[in-house]
Amino acid sequence: MNSDYALLETKIEYVFKDKDLLLNALTHTSFANEHRSKGIKDNERLEFLGDAVLELVSSEFLFKTMPDMPEGNMTKLRASLVCEPTLANDAREIGLEEFIYLGKGEEETGGRKRNSIVSDAFEGSIFLDGGIDNARDFIIKFALNDIENKRLFYDSKTILQERINIAKVGKLSYEITGETGPDHNKTYEVAAILDDKVIG
């Protein structure tokens, strides 16, 4: 756990006027529950607001920067940019996981490595603290960068499905063939099957 908030603000290129909003954004439910008597709030309400801000900004960005892209393609691209694994990677690039307040149990079971925790970022708190322009700047710098690689990596399942449908070569399905790791942080191996043949 790192409490050098000046360092974090340097990394995200935004300085909070209201430091309580910053602390709220970093507080996981597990920590708030363990310190309920102190009136500490978790970041779930901020996450709710942040999701809306993220969707608005990413929609506006794609609409303006990709004027020839059809609506359906924009929807799929936006989904790949704001999905949990992508946002968690974005957060790890600025070392956000080091600053999150976690309860003892969550800390001991590897919460800092969990995408669902790390991906709950700052959009809502920056929006409340500095308005939509600052939130937009943050999202464009840290979530809407490197779009081509994010689209190819995180939307590969959709791309495969579309190609199979166009070629009309059979029915695509998926089967879990293995799993490793503890229950709270499993890694799965999945086979892509075309009719009865494993293709990947």
Side-chain angles (χ1 to χ4, degrees):
M1 169 69 194
N2 190 335
S3 57
D4 184 353
Y5 304 120
L7 172 61
L8 179 58
E9 288 175 325
T10 299
K11 287 185 173 193
I12 66 173
E13 300 176 26
Y14 180 77
V15 176
F16 279 83
K17 296 185 284 291
D18 182 352
K19 301 302 182 190
D20 286 342
L21 277 171
L22 171 59
L23 295 178
N24 190 189
L26 295 170
T27 303
H28 185 252
T29 312
S30 61
F31 186 89
N33 287 341
E34 288 181 10
H35 299 83
R36 193 169 303 201
S37 62
K38 298 178 183 175
I40 293 174
K41 295 180 181 178
D42 63 49
N43 59 11
E44 288 186 351
R45 284 173 54 83
L46 279 176
E47 181 192 348
F48 168 80
L49 178 61
D51 287 345
V53 174
L54 183 61
E55 183 155 330
L56 172 64
V57 170
S58 57
S59 299
E60 177 193 46
F61 179 82
L62 294 176
F63 185 84
K64 288 182 174 178
T65 59
M66 302 189 175
D68 299 322
M69 182 177 282
E71 178 269 340
N73 291 1
M74 284 196 298
T75 299
K76 284 187 281 190
L77 178 52
R78 182 182 63 197
S80 69
L81 292 171
V82 302
C83 69
E84 188 176 280
T86 311
L87 292 175
N89 269 357
D90 295 337
R92 288 189 181 102
E93 285 179 8
I94 56 175
L96 178 61
E97 71 278 9
E98 300 170 24
F99 297 89
I100 298 172
Y101 285 98
L102 291 178
K104 289 179 183 176
E106 196 67 59
E107 184 80 70
E108 289 168 1
T109 56
R112 282 187 203 283
K113 296 179 181 176
R114 210 163 291 153
N115 284 353
S116 59
I117 291 175
V118 179
S119 64
D120 297 341
F122 290 114
E123 297 88 13
S125 57
I126 292 177
F127 171 73
L128 289 176
D129 190 69
I132 189 64
D133 289 337
N134 285 302
R136 182 186 292 110
D137 288 346
F138 172 79
I139 291 166
I140 289 173
K141 283 176 192 169
F142 297 105
L144 301 180
N145 57 347
D146 200 18
I147 284 182
E148 276 309 308
N149 283 332
K150 288 176 180 176
R151 171 164 51 180
L152 289 172
F153 185 72
Y154 286 108
D155 207 24
S156 55
K157 185 176 175 184
T158 301
I159 293 168
L160 176 61
Q161 183 69 59
E162 287 176 347
R163 290 185 179 174
I164 296 293
N165 289 344
I166 290 169
K168 296 181 180 174
V169 291
K171 181 182 176 185
L172 182 65
S173 62
Y174 298 93
E175 182 181 315
I176 295 174
T177 58
E179 56 182 72
T180 56
D183 286 342
H184 66 272
N185 193 25
K186 282 193 179 297
T187 298
Y188 295 92
E189 183 174 300
V190 179
I193 302 168
L194 185 60
D195 290 334
D196 296 321
K197 182 181 178 184
V198 175
I199 59 171

